């Protein structure tokens, strides 16, 4: 059963809810449950905080009993649902192209698949530096947080103009546009949305289970296959680290290795120039590791990662408790991938 508890809103900036006499941080998706004000009685889901999840540092408002029971109207003619047959199901107007459109987009746009949400800001920044005045959008898939409004990175990149659009694909929701499938989202991005390039990845808070395939990084596999099915050139931003305490993520993460092993077609895998200087010794020889991972099917490419420029950009420079100086490789990988994406647009 859902771990639902009654609470009272006792603060709004940031949102805090008192549950059983304890003040707890909370988050409310205003697009789903409406506004919250001090004194409102709410029902919150406390599971993530009670489990001590690193990405679940707040309770989630499930319903506002004070002011949230009279809201919500289904727009005329809309009949597609997201979060189907859950208590949060709601109607959306999908962006997919109508029957009769071309099976593959008439415009070919490059697609960059991400291994986790922490790559989005450096990728978008680097792509914008290399290819200004282009329309680059973000397709938010499953594998992490589902609400489109949850990501501070997306909000800031949209405000800066470094992301031109934001589509959320079921089960994700709440973007500037809603898509039912990844294929449908990319098809629309190239056609009616007018994007020049697409970045595809999970929302914040990647899922993980310490298993070979049971993690949110597998969303990159679906993203790459959707791009390849539409004959769109595809790149994969590799997850790398020199500071992660977990051996499975040191050097080239097992998340990326798994995706490369399972892909049915070849993709480009950008890597940072000067990789050896960033690489942890305990992860083996970087040339051999990359060569073994791409296994002749995929195409590695080398691109400059502007770490100093990104550090001065004001965008996020922390990942899982480590800052950029403590894990330069983690940030260098998506910066190289963003530079590679830009090279397709110039």
């Amino acid at each position: 059963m859902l771990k639902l508890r009654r609470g009272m809103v006792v603060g709004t900036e940031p949102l805090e809810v008192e549950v059983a006499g304890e003040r707890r941080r909370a988050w409310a998706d205003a697009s789903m449950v409406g506004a919250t004000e001090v004194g409102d009685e709410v029902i919150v889901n406390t599971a993530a905080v009670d489990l001590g999840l690193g990405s679940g540092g707040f309770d989630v408002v499930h319903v506002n009993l004070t002011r949230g029971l009279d809201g919500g109207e289904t727009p005329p003619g809309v009949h597609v649902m997201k979060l189907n047959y859950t208590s949060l199901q709601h109607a959306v107007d999908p962006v997919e192209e109508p029957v009769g459109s071309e099976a593959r987009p008439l415009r070919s746009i490059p697609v960059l698949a991400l291994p986790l949400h922490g790559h989005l800001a450096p990728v978008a920044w680097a792509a914008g530096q290399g290819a200004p005045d282009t329309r680059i959008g973000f397709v938010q898939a499953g594998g992490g947080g589902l609400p489109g409004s949850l990501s501070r990175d997306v909000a800031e990149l949209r405000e800066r103009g470094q992301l031109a659009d934001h589509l959320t694909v079921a089960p994700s929701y709440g973007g500037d546009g809603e898509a039912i499938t990844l294929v449908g989202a990319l098809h629309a991005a190239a056609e009616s949305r007018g994007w020049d390039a697409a970045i595809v990845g999970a929302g914040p808070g990647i899922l993980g289970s310490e298993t070979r395939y049971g993690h949110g990084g597998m969303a990159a596999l679906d993203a790459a296959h959707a791009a390849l099915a539409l004959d769109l050139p595809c790149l994969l931003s590799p997850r790398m680290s020199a500071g992660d305490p977990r051996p499975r993520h040191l050097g080239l993460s097992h998340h990326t290795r798994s995706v490369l092993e399972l892909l049915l077609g070849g993709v480009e895998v950008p890597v940072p120039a000067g990789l050896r200087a960033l690489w942890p010794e305990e992860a083996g020889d970087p040339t051999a590791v990359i060569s073994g991972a791409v296994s002749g099917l995929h195409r590695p490419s080398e691109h400059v990662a502007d770490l100093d420029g990104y550090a001065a950009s004001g965008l996020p420079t922390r990942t899982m408790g480590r800052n950029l100086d403590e894990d330069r490789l983690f940030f260098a990988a998506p910066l190289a991938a963003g530079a590679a994406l830009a090279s397709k647009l110039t």
Side-chain angles (χ1 to χ4, degrees):
M1 293 179 62
L2 296 176
K3 195 167 187 181
L4 301 178
R5 301 291 183 267
R6 287 181 178 268
M8 184 75 69
V9 176
V10 292
T12 56
E13 293 184 8
L15 184 63
E16 289 187 313
V17 175
E18 184 175 294
V19 179
E22 177 188 4
R23 291 178 71 109
R24 301 164 63 108
R25 292 178 58 214
W27 181 77
D29 185 349
S31 69
M32 295 287 280
V33 301
T36 51
E37 298 181 11
V38 172
D40 286 355
E41 185 181 9
V42 294
I43 302 295
V44 292
N45 188 321
T46 67
V49 173
D50 292 347
L51 284 172
L53 300 180
S55 60
F58 42 76
D59 296 330
V60 179
V61 175
H62 184 70
V63 63
N64 187 329
L65 297 175
T66 300
R67 66 187 72 251
L69 299 182
D70 294 325
E73 295 292 338
T74 301
V78 174
H79 60 274
V80 173
M81 304 295 284
K82 283 203 171 181
L83 302 181
N84 315 53
Y85 296 99
T86 72
S87 65
L88 296 177
Q89 68 177 2
H90 57 282
V92 298
D93 188 9
V95 301
E96 273 85 354
E97 300 295 303
V99 174
S101 61
E102 294 290 333
R104 290 174 173 80
L106 297 176
R107 296 174 62 247
S108 180
I109 64 171
V111 176
L112 175 58
L114 305 185
L116 73 176
H117 196 67
H119 275 212
L120 176 61
V123 158
W125 180 85
Q129 298 303 298
D133 302 319
T134 54
R135 283 182 57 80
I136 300 175
F138 175 51
V139 176
Q140 183 175 328
L146 301 181
S149 60
L150 182 62
S151 172
R152 292 188 293 268
D153 291 1
V154 169
E156 184 168 1
L157 291 166
R158 293 284 283 118
E159 185 176 340
R160 289 174 174 231
Q162 291 173 314
L163 283 179
D165 201 0
H166 177 205
L167 298 180
T168 40
V169 179
S172 295
Y173 65 91
D176 297 314
E178 304 282 3
I180 301 170
T181 67
L182 280 167
V183 169
L186 292 176
H187 192 278
E191 296 293 294
S192 59
R193 310 293 285 198
W195 295 10
D196 297 308
I199 302 169
V200 187
I206 191 170
L207 300 173
S209 62
E210 299 184 26
T211 62
R212 187 178 184 87
Y213 301 132
H215 53 79
M218 296 305 292
L221 179 69
D222 297 333
H225 279 155
L228 294 172
L230 292 172
D231 288 336
L232 300 177
C234 184
L235 305 88
L236 178 69
S237 182
R239 180 174 180 175
M240 298 180 172
S241 176
D244 200 302
R246 298 164 294 182
R248 64 183 184 275
H249 290 308
L250 274 182
L252 183 66
S253 169
H254 82 102
H255 283 193
T256 296
R257 292 174 191 259
S258 294
V259 171
L260 292 173
E261 289 170 0
L262 294 176
L263 272 166
L264 300 177
V267 300
E268 181 176 342
V269 185
V271 298
L275 179 60
R276 190 172 296 275
L278 299 166
W279 193 264
E281 290 185 7
E282 58 268 42
D285 179 73
T287 302
V289 169
I290 299 301
S291 177
V294 299
S295 66
L297 175 63
H298 310 295
R299 306 176 302 281
S301 61
E302 189 174 276
H303 299 269
V304 173
D306 185 1
L307 285 161
D308 292 338
Y310 181 73
S313 71
L315 289 167
T317 55
R318 289 187 66 79
T319 175
M320 301 178 189
R322 306 184 302 278
N323 61 35
L324 186 148
D325 288 333
E326 293 171 318
D327 198 347
R328 293 172 68 82
L329 179 57
F330 178 90
F331 291 93
L335 288 170
L341 184 63
S343 72
K344 310 296 181 187
L345 303 175
T346 56

